Short mmCIF file of all heavy atoms in Angstrom, two decimals:
data_model
loop_
_atom_site.label_atom_id
_atom_site.label_comp_id
_atom_site.label_asym_id
_atom_site.label_seq_id
_atom_site.Cartn_x
_atom_site.Cartn_y
_atom_site.Cartn_z
N PRO A 525 -9.52 20.03 49.34
CA PRO A 525 -10.45 19.29 48.43
C PRO A 525 -9.69 18.20 47.70
O PRO A 525 -8.44 18.28 47.46
CB PRO A 525 -10.93 20.38 47.46
CG PRO A 525 -10.54 21.72 48.17
CD PRO A 525 -9.43 21.46 48.97
N GLY A 526 -10.42 17.15 47.32
CA GLY A 526 -9.84 16.13 46.57
C GLY A 526 -9.66 16.54 45.09
O GLY A 526 -9.97 17.69 44.72
N ASP A 527 -9.20 15.65 44.29
CA ASP A 527 -8.88 15.99 42.87
C ASP A 527 -9.90 15.35 41.92
O ASP A 527 -10.64 14.34 42.29
CB ASP A 527 -7.54 15.45 42.43
CG ASP A 527 -6.40 16.11 43.30
OD1 ASP A 527 -6.67 17.21 43.82
OD2 ASP A 527 -5.27 15.55 43.32
N LEU A 528 -10.07 15.95 40.77
CA LEU A 528 -10.89 15.34 39.73
C LEU A 528 -10.01 14.62 38.76
O LEU A 528 -9.13 15.28 38.09
CB LEU A 528 -11.70 16.40 39.01
CG LEU A 528 -12.58 15.97 37.83
CD1 LEU A 528 -13.63 14.91 38.25
CD2 LEU A 528 -13.23 17.17 37.17
N GLN A 529 -10.19 13.34 38.58
CA GLN A 529 -9.31 12.53 37.67
C GLN A 529 -10.12 12.26 36.43
O GLN A 529 -11.23 11.69 36.47
CB GLN A 529 -8.93 11.24 38.39
CG GLN A 529 -8.08 11.46 39.69
CD GLN A 529 -7.84 10.23 40.44
OE1 GLN A 529 -8.63 9.30 40.41
NE2 GLN A 529 -6.77 10.22 41.23
N ILE A 530 -9.52 12.54 35.31
CA ILE A 530 -10.19 12.46 34.01
C ILE A 530 -9.57 11.39 33.24
O ILE A 530 -8.35 11.52 32.88
CB ILE A 530 -10.22 13.80 33.19
CG1 ILE A 530 -10.86 14.92 34.02
CG2 ILE A 530 -10.88 13.60 31.91
CD1 ILE A 530 -9.89 15.88 34.62
N VAL A 531 -10.27 10.29 32.90
CA VAL A 531 -9.76 9.16 32.15
C VAL A 531 -10.17 9.37 30.76
O VAL A 531 -11.31 9.50 30.45
CB VAL A 531 -10.26 7.82 32.72
CG1 VAL A 531 -9.68 6.67 31.94
CG2 VAL A 531 -9.83 7.68 34.21
N ILE A 532 -9.21 9.32 29.81
CA ILE A 532 -9.46 9.52 28.39
C ILE A 532 -9.99 8.25 27.74
O ILE A 532 -9.43 7.18 27.94
CB ILE A 532 -8.19 9.97 27.65
CG1 ILE A 532 -7.65 11.33 28.23
CG2 ILE A 532 -8.46 10.12 26.19
CD1 ILE A 532 -8.67 12.47 28.07
N GLU A 533 -11.02 8.40 26.95
CA GLU A 533 -11.65 7.25 26.18
C GLU A 533 -11.75 7.69 24.81
O GLU A 533 -12.50 8.63 24.45
CB GLU A 533 -12.99 6.92 26.81
CG GLU A 533 -13.68 5.72 26.15
CD GLU A 533 -14.98 5.36 26.81
OE1 GLU A 533 -15.07 5.40 28.10
OE2 GLU A 533 -15.91 5.11 26.11
N GLU A 534 -11.02 7.05 23.90
CA GLU A 534 -11.00 7.39 22.48
C GLU A 534 -12.17 6.72 21.74
O GLU A 534 -12.45 5.56 21.96
CB GLU A 534 -9.75 6.96 21.80
CG GLU A 534 -8.50 7.77 22.12
CD GLU A 534 -7.28 7.37 21.34
OE1 GLU A 534 -7.42 6.88 20.15
OE2 GLU A 534 -6.16 7.40 21.79
N GLN A 535 -12.84 7.56 20.88
CA GLN A 535 -13.90 7.05 20.05
C GLN A 535 -13.23 6.53 18.77
O GLN A 535 -12.32 7.15 18.17
CB GLN A 535 -14.91 8.07 19.81
CG GLN A 535 -15.79 8.51 21.00
CD GLN A 535 -16.75 9.56 20.68
OE1 GLN A 535 -16.43 10.67 20.28
NE2 GLN A 535 -17.99 9.21 20.78
N ARG A 536 -13.73 5.41 18.19
CA ARG A 536 -13.23 4.87 16.95
C ARG A 536 -13.49 5.78 15.78
O ARG A 536 -14.63 6.35 15.70
CB ARG A 536 -13.83 3.48 16.74
CG ARG A 536 -13.24 2.39 17.58
CD ARG A 536 -13.86 1.08 17.20
NE ARG A 536 -13.31 -0.05 17.98
CZ ARG A 536 -12.19 -0.65 17.62
NH1 ARG A 536 -11.51 -0.30 16.55
NH2 ARG A 536 -11.70 -1.69 18.38
N HIS A 537 -12.52 5.95 14.96
CA HIS A 537 -12.76 6.73 13.70
C HIS A 537 -13.34 5.79 12.71
O HIS A 537 -13.08 4.61 12.65
CB HIS A 537 -11.37 7.31 13.22
CG HIS A 537 -11.56 8.34 12.19
ND1 HIS A 537 -11.64 7.98 10.79
CD2 HIS A 537 -11.58 9.69 12.14
CE1 HIS A 537 -11.78 9.11 10.07
NE2 HIS A 537 -11.78 10.10 10.90
N GLU A 538 -14.14 6.38 11.74
CA GLU A 538 -14.79 5.50 10.76
C GLU A 538 -13.82 4.81 9.82
O GLU A 538 -14.01 3.71 9.36
CB GLU A 538 -15.78 6.41 9.98
CG GLU A 538 -16.57 5.69 8.91
CD GLU A 538 -17.52 6.51 8.16
OE1 GLU A 538 -17.49 7.77 8.34
OE2 GLU A 538 -18.26 5.99 7.32
N HIS A 539 -12.68 5.50 9.50
CA HIS A 539 -11.76 4.99 8.51
C HIS A 539 -10.29 4.81 9.07
O HIS A 539 -9.65 3.90 8.56
CB HIS A 539 -11.68 5.92 7.31
CG HIS A 539 -12.98 6.21 6.62
ND1 HIS A 539 -13.75 5.18 6.02
CD2 HIS A 539 -13.74 7.29 6.56
CE1 HIS A 539 -14.82 5.65 5.52
NE2 HIS A 539 -14.92 6.91 5.84
N LEU A 540 -9.89 5.58 9.95
CA LEU A 540 -8.55 5.60 10.41
C LEU A 540 -8.32 4.79 11.69
O LEU A 540 -9.22 4.78 12.60
CB LEU A 540 -8.03 7.02 10.61
CG LEU A 540 -8.18 7.99 9.43
CD1 LEU A 540 -7.79 9.43 9.83
CD2 LEU A 540 -7.35 7.49 8.27
N ILE A 541 -7.14 4.16 11.77
CA ILE A 541 -6.78 3.34 12.91
C ILE A 541 -5.56 4.00 13.57
O ILE A 541 -4.54 4.31 12.94
CB ILE A 541 -6.48 1.91 12.51
CG1 ILE A 541 -7.65 1.22 11.85
CG2 ILE A 541 -6.01 1.03 13.73
CD1 ILE A 541 -7.36 -0.07 11.14
N ARG A 542 -5.64 4.17 14.87
CA ARG A 542 -4.47 4.81 15.57
C ARG A 542 -3.42 3.74 15.98
O ARG A 542 -3.77 2.64 16.52
CB ARG A 542 -4.96 5.57 16.82
CG ARG A 542 -3.84 6.24 17.57
CD ARG A 542 -4.31 7.03 18.68
NE ARG A 542 -3.14 7.80 19.28
CZ ARG A 542 -3.31 8.71 20.29
NH1 ARG A 542 -4.51 9.01 20.72
NH2 ARG A 542 -2.24 9.35 20.73
N ASP A 543 -2.11 4.06 15.71
CA ASP A 543 -1.02 3.32 16.19
C ASP A 543 -0.01 4.30 16.85
O ASP A 543 0.84 4.74 16.15
CB ASP A 543 -0.41 2.49 15.05
CG ASP A 543 0.80 1.65 15.52
OD1 ASP A 543 0.86 1.39 16.71
OD2 ASP A 543 1.61 1.33 14.66
N ASP A 544 -0.24 4.53 18.14
CA ASP A 544 0.58 5.55 18.85
C ASP A 544 0.37 6.88 18.11
O ASP A 544 -0.76 7.38 18.09
CB ASP A 544 2.05 5.19 18.94
CG ASP A 544 2.81 5.89 20.02
OD1 ASP A 544 2.11 6.58 20.85
OD2 ASP A 544 4.03 5.84 19.98
N GLN A 545 1.37 7.54 17.63
CA GLN A 545 1.25 8.80 16.89
C GLN A 545 0.84 8.65 15.48
O GLN A 545 0.46 9.57 14.82
CB GLN A 545 2.53 9.64 17.05
CG GLN A 545 2.77 10.21 18.42
CD GLN A 545 4.09 10.99 18.43
OE1 GLN A 545 5.00 10.68 19.15
NE2 GLN A 545 4.09 12.11 17.69
N ASP A 546 1.09 7.46 14.94
CA ASP A 546 0.80 7.19 13.54
C ASP A 546 -0.73 6.83 13.30
O ASP A 546 -1.39 6.38 14.23
CB ASP A 546 1.60 6.05 12.98
CG ASP A 546 3.09 6.47 12.88
OD1 ASP A 546 3.40 7.64 12.77
OD2 ASP A 546 3.96 5.55 12.89
N LEU A 547 -1.20 7.09 12.12
CA LEU A 547 -2.52 6.70 11.71
C LEU A 547 -2.43 5.76 10.58
O LEU A 547 -1.50 5.81 9.69
CB LEU A 547 -3.38 7.86 11.31
CG LEU A 547 -3.71 8.85 12.37
CD1 LEU A 547 -4.40 10.09 11.80
CD2 LEU A 547 -4.59 8.27 13.49
N ILE A 548 -3.26 4.76 10.49
CA ILE A 548 -3.25 3.68 9.45
C ILE A 548 -4.54 3.73 8.66
O ILE A 548 -5.62 3.82 9.27
CB ILE A 548 -2.99 2.32 9.97
CG1 ILE A 548 -1.65 2.29 10.74
CG2 ILE A 548 -3.05 1.30 8.96
CD1 ILE A 548 -1.43 0.99 11.54
N TYR A 549 -4.52 3.76 7.36
CA TYR A 549 -5.61 3.62 6.48
C TYR A 549 -5.47 2.49 5.49
O TYR A 549 -4.47 2.44 4.81
CB TYR A 549 -5.86 4.98 5.67
CG TYR A 549 -7.03 4.88 4.74
CD1 TYR A 549 -8.36 4.74 5.28
CD2 TYR A 549 -6.89 4.89 3.39
CE1 TYR A 549 -9.43 4.65 4.38
CE2 TYR A 549 -7.94 4.80 2.52
CZ TYR A 549 -9.24 4.63 3.03
OH TYR A 549 -10.30 4.57 2.22
N ASN A 550 -6.44 1.65 5.48
CA ASN A 550 -6.40 0.45 4.60
C ASN A 550 -7.07 0.84 3.25
O ASN A 550 -8.33 1.03 3.23
CB ASN A 550 -7.04 -0.75 5.22
CG ASN A 550 -6.28 -1.33 6.33
OD1 ASN A 550 -5.00 -1.44 6.29
ND2 ASN A 550 -6.90 -1.69 7.43
N LEU A 551 -6.31 0.99 2.20
CA LEU A 551 -6.82 1.43 0.91
C LEU A 551 -6.96 0.24 -0.03
O LEU A 551 -6.07 -0.50 -0.30
CB LEU A 551 -5.78 2.43 0.29
CG LEU A 551 -6.08 2.84 -1.15
CD1 LEU A 551 -7.43 3.62 -1.21
CD2 LEU A 551 -5.00 3.69 -1.72
N MET A 552 -8.22 -0.02 -0.52
CA MET A 552 -8.47 -1.00 -1.40
C MET A 552 -8.58 -0.40 -2.82
O MET A 552 -9.37 0.44 -3.05
CB MET A 552 -9.81 -1.73 -1.09
CG MET A 552 -10.23 -2.84 -2.01
SD MET A 552 -9.24 -4.35 -1.74
CE MET A 552 -10.05 -4.98 -0.28
N ILE A 553 -7.72 -0.93 -3.77
CA ILE A 553 -7.73 -0.39 -5.11
C ILE A 553 -8.06 -1.58 -6.07
O ILE A 553 -7.87 -2.73 -5.70
CB ILE A 553 -6.48 0.27 -5.58
CG1 ILE A 553 -5.26 -0.68 -5.49
CG2 ILE A 553 -6.21 1.53 -4.72
CD1 ILE A 553 -3.99 -0.16 -5.99
N ASP A 554 -8.55 -1.27 -7.27
CA ASP A 554 -8.83 -2.33 -8.26
C ASP A 554 -7.56 -2.69 -8.97
O ASP A 554 -6.54 -2.01 -8.91
CB ASP A 554 -9.97 -1.89 -9.21
CG ASP A 554 -9.65 -0.57 -9.93
OD1 ASP A 554 -8.47 -0.41 -10.35
OD2 ASP A 554 -10.54 0.32 -9.99
N PHE A 555 -7.63 -3.84 -9.71
CA PHE A 555 -6.46 -4.33 -10.35
C PHE A 555 -5.96 -3.40 -11.49
O PHE A 555 -4.73 -3.13 -11.59
CB PHE A 555 -6.75 -5.72 -10.95
CG PHE A 555 -5.62 -6.28 -11.80
CD1 PHE A 555 -4.42 -6.78 -11.17
CD2 PHE A 555 -5.70 -6.24 -13.17
CE1 PHE A 555 -3.45 -7.23 -11.98
CE2 PHE A 555 -4.71 -6.68 -13.95
CZ PHE A 555 -3.53 -7.18 -13.36
N PRO A 556 -6.81 -2.83 -12.25
CA PRO A 556 -6.36 -1.92 -13.33
C PRO A 556 -5.58 -0.73 -12.72
O PRO A 556 -4.52 -0.34 -13.30
CB PRO A 556 -7.62 -1.48 -14.03
CG PRO A 556 -8.59 -2.57 -13.80
CD PRO A 556 -8.30 -3.11 -12.44
N THR A 557 -6.04 -0.17 -11.60
CA THR A 557 -5.33 0.93 -10.98
C THR A 557 -3.95 0.49 -10.44
O THR A 557 -2.94 1.22 -10.58
CB THR A 557 -6.14 1.56 -9.85
OG1 THR A 557 -7.39 2.03 -10.39
CG2 THR A 557 -5.41 2.71 -9.18
N ALA A 558 -3.89 -0.73 -9.88
CA ALA A 558 -2.63 -1.25 -9.37
C ALA A 558 -1.70 -1.46 -10.51
O ALA A 558 -0.42 -1.16 -10.37
CB ALA A 558 -2.89 -2.51 -8.63
N ALA A 559 -2.18 -1.95 -11.67
CA ALA A 559 -1.24 -2.23 -12.79
C ALA A 559 -0.86 -1.00 -13.55
O ALA A 559 0.28 -0.82 -13.95
CB ALA A 559 -1.99 -3.28 -13.70
N LEU A 560 -1.85 -0.12 -13.76
CA LEU A 560 -1.59 1.04 -14.61
C LEU A 560 -1.22 2.35 -13.84
O LEU A 560 -0.68 3.31 -14.44
CB LEU A 560 -2.83 1.35 -15.48
CG LEU A 560 -3.32 0.13 -16.34
CD1 LEU A 560 -4.55 0.54 -17.09
CD2 LEU A 560 -2.19 -0.20 -17.37
N GLY A 561 -1.56 2.38 -12.56
CA GLY A 561 -1.33 3.57 -11.75
C GLY A 561 -2.46 4.50 -11.86
O GLY A 561 -3.47 4.40 -12.64
N GLY A 562 -2.44 5.57 -11.06
CA GLY A 562 -3.59 6.51 -10.98
C GLY A 562 -3.62 7.33 -9.73
O GLY A 562 -2.67 7.27 -8.96
N LYS A 563 -4.60 8.17 -9.63
CA LYS A 563 -4.73 9.05 -8.48
C LYS A 563 -5.98 8.55 -7.68
O LYS A 563 -7.00 8.25 -8.27
CB LYS A 563 -4.96 10.51 -8.87
CG LYS A 563 -3.84 11.10 -9.71
CD LYS A 563 -2.70 11.62 -8.73
CE LYS A 563 -1.70 12.41 -9.48
NZ LYS A 563 -0.64 12.91 -8.63
N VAL A 564 -5.84 8.56 -6.40
CA VAL A 564 -6.97 8.17 -5.51
C VAL A 564 -7.07 9.12 -4.33
O VAL A 564 -6.09 9.75 -4.00
CB VAL A 564 -6.83 6.69 -4.91
CG1 VAL A 564 -6.86 5.68 -6.11
CG2 VAL A 564 -5.55 6.55 -4.18
N GLU A 565 -8.23 9.24 -3.72
CA GLU A 565 -8.43 10.10 -2.59
C GLU A 565 -8.52 9.26 -1.33
O GLU A 565 -9.15 8.19 -1.32
CB GLU A 565 -9.72 10.94 -2.72
CG GLU A 565 -9.53 12.21 -3.40
CD GLU A 565 -10.67 13.14 -3.19
OE1 GLU A 565 -11.67 12.76 -2.52
OE2 GLU A 565 -10.63 14.31 -3.63
N ILE A 566 -7.90 9.75 -0.24
CA ILE A 566 -8.03 9.03 1.03
C ILE A 566 -8.38 10.05 2.12
O ILE A 566 -8.14 11.25 1.99
CB ILE A 566 -6.67 8.38 1.41
CG1 ILE A 566 -5.61 9.41 1.54
CG2 ILE A 566 -6.26 7.34 0.31
CD1 ILE A 566 -4.34 8.88 2.23
N PRO A 567 -9.08 9.51 3.19
CA PRO A 567 -9.40 10.41 4.26
C PRO A 567 -8.16 10.67 5.15
O PRO A 567 -7.34 9.83 5.31
CB PRO A 567 -10.49 9.59 5.05
CG PRO A 567 -10.10 8.15 4.79
CD PRO A 567 -9.51 8.16 3.37
N THR A 568 -8.12 11.86 5.72
CA THR A 568 -7.09 12.28 6.69
C THR A 568 -7.78 12.75 7.93
O THR A 568 -9.05 12.81 7.99
CB THR A 568 -6.16 13.35 6.14
OG1 THR A 568 -6.90 14.59 5.97
CG2 THR A 568 -5.52 12.93 4.81
N ILE A 569 -7.02 13.11 9.00
CA ILE A 569 -7.67 13.53 10.21
C ILE A 569 -8.35 14.85 10.08
O ILE A 569 -9.33 15.17 10.83
CB ILE A 569 -6.53 13.62 11.32
CG1 ILE A 569 -7.15 13.66 12.71
CG2 ILE A 569 -5.73 14.93 11.06
CD1 ILE A 569 -7.78 12.36 13.07
N ASP A 570 -8.00 15.70 9.07
CA ASP A 570 -8.68 16.98 8.89
C ASP A 570 -9.22 17.19 7.50
O ASP A 570 -9.36 18.31 7.07
CB ASP A 570 -7.67 18.06 9.25
CG ASP A 570 -6.35 17.97 8.50
OD1 ASP A 570 -6.23 17.12 7.60
OD2 ASP A 570 -5.46 18.75 8.75
#
């Protein structure tokens, strides 16, 4: 019998961008947070 060849097709994530094994998230913060600091939440893979 012949073989079944499966070609992988990745679906885009809503927030995360893949770069090989790394993931990239573009975080937009306001000026007061950048100047004064603070805590923010970001999405992860899980």
Side-chain angles (χ1 to χ4, degrees):
D527 298 340
L528 176 61
Q529 299 170 334
I530 302 102
V531 180
I532 299 299
E533 184 176 316
E534 285 186 31
Q535 292 180 295
R536 285 183 177 274
H537 192 275
E538 184 180 3
H539 303 294
L540 303 175
I541 301 168
R542 181 175 186 175
D543 181 19
D544 198 11
Q545 288 179 245
D546 292 335
L547 295 173
I548 299 171
Y549 177 66
N550 291 317
L551 172 66
M552 179 76 76
I553 60 175
D554 55 44
F555 175 75
T557 301
L560 304 175
K563 299 278 189 181
V564 297
E565 273 197 354
I566 62 167
T568 67
I569 198 68
D570 52 5

